[in-house]
Amino acid sequence: MSALTSKSYHPGVLPIKFEPGRIMLVDQRKLPHELCYFDATEHDDMVFAIRDMVVRGAPSIGVAAAFGLALDAGRLSSLNLNKLDFLKAFAQANAELNETRPTAVNLRWALQRISVVVAQAADHDYPGEIANFAYKEAEKIFQEHLDANLAISEFGAQLVNEGARISTHCNAGGLAACGYGTALGVIRAAHFSGKNISVYVDETRPRNQGSKLTMWELHQDGIPSTLICDSMSGHLMMQGKIDLVITGADRIARNGDSANKIGTYNLAVLAHHHKIPFYIAAPLSTFDSELIDGKNIPIEERSSLEVVTIDGVATTVPGARAYNPGFDVTPAELIAGIITEAGVLRPDYKNSIARALKIEN
Ligand code: MRU
């Protein structure tokens, strides 16, 4: 399906490894200083890992949660519960995982897929097989993301001109997207096809996913990259130093309104003002077919500690009040195209998204 080969694919950035009963997550809190794994062998480990952002980025959160719920299915099916009690305990585990991060819709989507498979297995009285079915579905979701990442990267690379200077925000690389990357996959594919591109990376306060993770991934691949503070993009655009912007997304409504890491909206408004194309790259699992527009996308509010400190060191006066919305919503009219595994979706998004999702408009 894809012309990208395993040669150009960088397996080192895959954030998840698994074996039945054990899920190993690259501990993204420790990068770029240390590449190490966090072992999730219990339900609470995975709840912690997603909430505390050991694993992060909407698609990776979905894949990790799918394996986490498969882990739960295995644990519960070994307890010899009757079907009703099994399903009740399973639903509870599902709900706890679902509540860990509210904005990334991939989480709900992946948990639903595992739940359907488990409910079917329970209905057919295959208690011993339930965990196998669940793990198989989680592996399928993982593989679908690997494939989607590659397709997105190829479609997106066609939008990138020779010598393009690209701006990106947060981390939509292999760590976040579970594969070749979405926004960063497009950048990788353009780089490896010899387009001589370069990247401006927003540091992405408060958690600095840009400086810590995106810079790390770009350096692994030797892609020319320059770190900037989030407030510098307007100045660079005014100087004519940015040709296009590509970011990922955490939830996309049916009209194309797209939630992504806080600060993305600023970038989109600036790009619009400077007539620079602003693209979103995301798999179809990031679309929320239940939402007509972005108004009802839940925005996660995280601890104010993330704002008043950097890596545990205070950056302001003691007792300072701080506000920390984790995401913002970029209105569809600011988005030149949404790059998916089904191709590049263009306005009118209501139509193009409905076609891609194979749902009624
Ligand atoms: O809070 P995070 O780090 O989980 O943020 C989500 C993201 O990684 C980004 O918003 C990203 O750009 C989209 S997910 C590939």
Side-chain angles (χ1 to χ4, degrees), residues 44 102-103 107 141 152 171 210 213 215 232 287 290 293 297 301 307 325 328 343 345:
D44 288 349
T103 303
L107 175 62
I141 291 172
I152 288 167
N171 172 264
L213 306 175
M215 288 299 285
M232 295 173 182
F287 289 75
E290 292 174 18
D293 57 37
I297 295 179
E301 195 178 325
V307 177
D328 55 29
L345 312 185

Side-chain angles (χ1 to χ4, degrees), residues 101 103-104 250 259-263 298-300 302 325-329:
R101 300 285 310 268
T103 303
D250 296 82
N260 193 50
K261 182 50 57 192
I262 192 77
I299 301 296
E300 175 180 9
R302 295 188 62 86
F327 299 88
D328 55 29
V329 178

Side-chain angles (χ1 to χ4, degrees), residues 24 32 49 82 99 132 136 179 209 252 274 278 300 321 339:
M24 291 148 280
N82 65 43
E99 279 161 17
N132 277 347
K136 281 220 168 70
Q209 290 94 329
I252 303 174
H274 290 281
F278 174 92
E300 175 180 9
R321 218 179 320 169
I339 309 159

Side-chain angles (χ1 to χ4, degrees), residues 159-168 187 190 195-201 224-226 236-246 276-277:
L159 303 170
V160 178
N161 291 331
E162 165 71 30
R165 295 152 306 170
I166 305 169
S167 150
T168 191
I187 288 168
K195 283 195 172 164
N196 199 24
I197 54 129
S198 56
V199 190
Y200 284 108
V201 179
S225 45
T226 305
L236 292 180
M237 287 184 189
M238 190 179 243
Q239 290 188 324
K241 289 186 173 163
I242 294 176
D243 301 305
L244 77 157
V245 181
I246 314 175
I276 294 167

